[in-house]
Amino acid sequence: MTTMQILETIQAFREAHAGLSGTLGFVPTMGYLHAGHLELVRQARAECEYVAVSIFVNPAQFGPNEDLARYPRDVPRDLELLRAEGVDLIFLPGGDEIYPPGYSTYVEVESMNAVLEGVRRPGHFRGVATVVCKLFNIVQAQRAYFGQKDAQQTVVIRQMVRDLAIPTEIVIVPTVREVDGLAMSSRNVYLDPEQRAAAAVLYRGLQQVATLYERGERDATTLRTELQATLAQEPLAQVEYVSIADLVSLQELDGSITGGALVSLAVRFGRTRLIDNVILEPQA
Ligand code: PAF
């Protein structure tokens, strides 16, 4: 195991990487790490000789009314956690390193703007694709690890990598959950105790849909209605959308599900917006 190196510039990162020989696994993050991030790091650690993690709160993926200013940050704690996981390289750039004055190149996966989060958060995936593309160019990893919790983000990244022939293999890691099923998220810290307890309804609803599907229910509208009904039982949950969508195009499904589906939702508890999902696997 090497000592963890913390690199703040592109040049310093490239020099440090040049000193390593072997496969590099990359985990891009916006910091404020939780067990979900650490799971990505562990998988990278298990599959690659070296592991790099970036910590960068990417302004380009926040809308004007979103939580960029109050997004939680704790870099010293993040570094301690990553050191304990045996991470080799940390890329910790300042804003100007990624978006220097005069910056004007953006990456957009156009088909994703018209569905789910793409509609509700205009510009979000443009920001994600742009920063991930740039980070991939800097880090030059063989594999990169993303969590299934951000389902549409995984579809955006896979499409971008395919379209732009980026030679990084994308690995998707299952969502890590709290004991009551709430998906790990840096935004969970915003929830007050009452909202936190209420938020367990998200996974409860998703699980019910998965169980109905396993028992043979295939009608997308019925499954969507069941999920809406479960969420409606929780007075603190303000539902933004529930969706049963095609696994690849993310277009809404009606009628019988034949090729599996992504069941996803966005729900607000007070000012905090949470997303979650489960996959209904295609059945033979
Ligand atoms: O999932 C995240 O934390 C971010 O969207 C990512 C991939 C690090 C890009 O800023």
Side-chain angles (χ1 to χ4, degrees):
M1 195 188 291
T2 50
T3 325
M4 186 169 90
Q5 299 184 64
I6 301 166
L7 298 321
E8 297 186 357
T9 64
I10 296 168
Q11 192 186 335
F13 186 91
R14 288 195 164 139
E15 282 168 13
H17 186 193
L20 307 176
S21 81
T23 53
L24 182 64
F26 174 43
V27 181
T29 82
M30 298 206 300
Y32 210 72
L33 304 179
H34 52 66
H37 296 110
L38 300 183
E39 190 57 33
L40 303 182
V41 171
R42 281 176 201 150
Q43 190 154 335
R45 183 75 284 163
E47 295 179 358
C48 307
E49 283 155 87
Y50 297 99
V51 177
V53 175
S54 63
I55 302 175
F56 179 66
V57 182
N58 174 33
Q61 70 188 74
F62 289 79
N65 300 317
E66 295 186 352
D67 55 352
L68 173 62
R70 70 173 191 136
Y71 195 82
R73 292 162 168 88
D74 191 344
V75 172
R77 179 178 158 278
D78 291 342
L79 295 178
E80 221 172 280
L81 290 169
L82 294 171
R83 195 170 278 116
E85 295 297 331
V87 169
D88 302 285
L89 303 178
I90 303 288
F91 184 47
L92 185 61
D96 279 3
E97 191 67 11
I98 300 295
Y99 302 114
Y103 186 90
S104 92
T105 303
Y106 293 86
V107 179
E108 195 151 10
V109 178
E110 290 182 347
S111 59
M112 286 294 118
N113 289 337
V115 289
L116 303 175
E117 295 292 296
V119 178
R120 275 87 186 182
R121 303 184 66 190
H124 171 66
F125 290 120
R126 180 181 191 253
V128 170
T130 300
V131 82
V132 171
C133 186
K134 181 152 189 173
L135 290 169
F136 280 4
N137 282 334
I138 296 164
V139 174
Q140 302 274 315
Q142 278 67 40
R143 297 200 186 100
Y145 295 78
F146 293 85
Q148 174 58 34
K149 198 203 88 175
D150 296 306
Q152 191 170 0
Q153 173 169 281
T154 69
V155 176
V156 166
I157 303 293
R158 278 188 193 285
Q159 179 85 39
M160 175 187 81
V161 162
R162 203 164 44 235
D163 289 351
L164 299 181
I166 295 174
T168 301
E169 182 192 334
I170 305 303
V171 183
I172 309 302
V173 178
T175 303
V176 178
R177 298 182 179 281
E178 304 278 2
V179 178
D180 64 358
L182 180 66
M184 297 274 180
S185 164
S186 304
R187 291 188 167 94
N188 290 350
V189 292
Y190 300 149
L191 300 168
D192 69 26
E194 216 186 335
Q195 292 166 340
R196 169 64 193 80
V201 74
L202 304 185
Y203 191 55
R204 207 159 57 237
L206 291 169
Q207 279 293 90
Q208 275 168 11
V209 170
T211 305
L212 287 170
Y213 182 75
E214 271 163 34
R215 291 184 183 152
E217 179 58 68
R218 292 287 178 275
D219 185 60
T221 308
T222 306
L223 294 173
R224 203 179 286 113
T225 307
E226 284 293 329
L227 181 50
Q228 276 157 345
T230 305
L231 296 174
Q233 286 164 14
E234 176 44 68
L236 294 184
Q238 303 155 252
V239 178
E240 210 172 276
Y241 67 83
V242 302
S243 160
I244 314 267
D246 180 82
L247 283 170
V248 178
S249 68
L250 303 188
Q251 294 288 340
E252 240 14 65
L253 294 173
D254 292 312
S256 188
I257 298 171
T258 52
L262 175 72
V263 185
S264 65
L265 47 75
V267 177
R268 283 182 194 277
F269 293 85
R271 286 173 64 198
T272 305
R273 183 179 188 274
L274 300 180
I275 58 170
D276 200 355
N277 68 87
V278 292
I279 288 179
L280 306 180
E281 297 291 348
Q283 302 291 312

